[in-house]
Amino acid sequence: MSKLITFAIQASPPPRLDKALARDVPDDAHLSRSRLGKLIEGGAVSVDGTAITDPRFKVIEGAQIAVTLEAAEESHIGPENIPLDIIFEDADLIVVNKPAGMVVHPAPGTPSGTLVNALLHHCGDDLSGVGGMKRPGIVHRIDKETSGLLVVAKSDAAHHGLAAQFEKHTVERRYLAVCYGAPDSNDPRLRGIKGTSFEPGNILRVQTFLGRHRTDRQRQAVSFQDGRHAVTRVRILERFGQPVAAALVECWLETGRTHQIRVHMAHCGHALIGDPVYGGRRKLSEKALGVAGVRGAHDFSRQALHAATLGFVHPVTGADLAFEAEIPADLGGLLRDLRQNG
């Protein structure tokens, strides 16, 4: 069943129709500029009774706009009955604790078995439609081999509101990670690495640009000339070994870029244990960590990274929400191994 949204263009409109609509469309319509662009091109927008399909059309003050929203289409992605660890759910969003090894969204190399496939099965008809399609709205992702918390929109209103919070970097995301060595302010080496500094409380701050590696398109790389601005903060929670050979750290993001924590930790010389892309296999001392600690680190089969805390404002109710996910069994086992040598 279609829905009609009508409104008038206000004073001093932007020169393009898509920009003018994005500015003046009622907030409760929850239509992004990209969605409005697609609606224009699809013939779903009329100006003073005439359908306009050019997003660059020049619109004037007082023009009467009608936007026709068709009922949400079924997704081309198939639902799959995959168990989910659901932390919170209501009519507008769902928070899940993703296991390591699960891809968030289908891609050419992973067409099934993803979080989206599982959510389509779990939510069924509860999906009211995101972007004109009955699908979960993915507003952020974590890597396949990273475990932890994700919030996913079930409605356009939630998708619109959550995306705005992520864009403004107001969402709280804290990760637990196990790294080689310990990023301590007493280490003079760290103070000599470009992009690193320390804040009160022995908090490491890493500020760089991040972009695709020039020769390996699957990797991200630190830059100081171009790319996307990225800031990570790191605090030591626990040290392992005598002398210290590894540490449990808490990382939190001011920005959220692809592989950000993994790249920044490697840039500082404190790559994550188990990271096959940025960490490699480092030789650890049995004298420092004990046999169990060295074996546990060597055998850990994924990057030791867990999205432990997630906090945001509910985009529909306005309630402050905060969630925590316990350390998964494999990461807990690594920590037990590292603690055995005192």
Side-chain angles (χ1 to χ4, degrees):
M1 186 175 181
S2 62
K3 175 183 178 182
L4 187 66
I5 299 172
T6 58
F7 58 98
I9 296 296
Q10 302 302 307
S12 303
R16 292 173 53 114
L17 175 61
D18 56 354
K19 291 183 177 181
L21 296 190
R23 187 195 71 171
D24 293 342
V25 68
D27 289 340
D28 59 6
H30 305 292
L31 295 174
S32 66
R33 181 182 167 189
S34 61
R35 176 84 189 283
L36 286 165
K38 293 177 182 177
L39 288 168
I40 293 169
E41 292 172 353
V45 175
S46 67
V47 179
D48 293 329
T50 301
I52 303 296
T53 58
D54 184 359
R56 298 168 297 178
F57 178 83
K58 184 175 176 59
V59 70
I60 63 173
E61 177 183 344
Q64 298 298 308
I65 306 298
V67 180
T68 302
L69 297 179
E70 299 295 341
E73 300 176 9
E74 296 295 330
S75 173
H76 65 283
I77 302 171
E80 295 181 42
N81 187 7
I82 302 170
L84 289 171
D85 182 4
I86 298 170
I87 307 300
F88 173 86
E89 183 178 12
D90 65 9
D92 292 289
L93 58 85
I94 183 169
V95 177
V96 299
N97 182 17
K98 185 189 81 70
M102 175 181 274
V103 173
V104 172
H105 197 281
T110 315
S112 62
T114 72
L115 178 64
V116 169
N117 295 111
L119 286 169
L120 283 168
H121 180 273
H122 170 79
C123 296
D125 292 335
D126 289 343
L127 292 171
S128 61
V130 172
M133 184 171 290
K134 286 189 176 181
R135 61 181 175 88
I138 303 299
V139 291
H140 69 127
R141 305 188 190 197
I142 56 179
D143 298 334
K144 175 183 177 182
E145 297 301 340
T146 298
S147 57
L149 295 171
L150 276 167
V151 57
V152 179
K154 295 170 61 179
S155 67
D156 257 331
H159 190 262
H160 196 73
L162 287 171
Q165 292 181 57
F166 276 95
E167 184 177 356
K168 294 176 182 176
H169 308 304
T170 58
V171 177
E172 181 184 14
R173 285 176 288 172
R174 293 187 179 246
Y175 292 72
L176 295 177
V178 183
C179 64
Y180 291 103
D184 196 297
S185 59
N186 292 321
D187 183 355
R189 180 193 62 82
L190 272 176
R191 295 187 176 275
I193 296 176
K194 189 174 182 180
T196 65
S197 60
F198 278 91
E199 297 177 340
N202 198 24
I203 294 173
L204 171 66
R205 183 177 187 270
V206 187
Q207 178 176 338
T208 73
F209 292 104
L210 290 180
R212 288 196 181 276
H213 194 280
R214 291 183 179 179
T215 59
D216 185 348
R217 307 302 289 173
Q218 301 303 312
R219 291 165 58 98
Q220 298 291 305
V222 163
S223 173
F224 294 96
Q225 286 81 37
D226 49 35
R228 304 182 73 188
H229 178 247
V231 179
T232 305
R233 288 179 172 82
V234 186
R235 179 169 64 97
I236 300 171
L237 299 179
E238 188 175 354
R239 294 172 171 84
F240 306 109
Q242 293 292 337
V244 175
L248 172 66
V249 296
E250 180 184 45
C251 306
W252 61 101
L253 304 176
E254 186 173 310
T255 58
R257 311 303 184 200
T258 302
H259 298 178
Q260 180 174 320
I261 291 173
R262 299 165 63 190
V263 178
H264 272 174
M265 293 299 288
H267 173 68
C268 295
H270 294 285
L272 303 189
I273 286 176
D275 190 334
V277 178
Y278 304 102
R281 297 287 184 185
R282 297 192 188 180
K283 185 173 177 60
L284 293 170
S285 167
E286 289 188 1
K287 183 177 180 180
L289 285 174
V291 174
V294 170
R295 184 186 301 116
H298 181 272
D299 293 344
F300 199 73
S301 60
R302 66 176 180 97
Q303 62 260 14
L305 184 62
H306 175 63
T309 302
L310 179 64
F312 55 91
V313 176
H314 194 292
V316 176
T317 69
D320 290 324
L321 300 178
F323 306 97
E324 293 186 2
E326 293 184 358
I327 292 176
D330 63 342
L331 191 53
L334 172 62
L335 294 174
R336 285 193 299 272
D337 291 337
L338 292 171
R339 289 169 180 146
Q340 284 194 27
N341 215 36

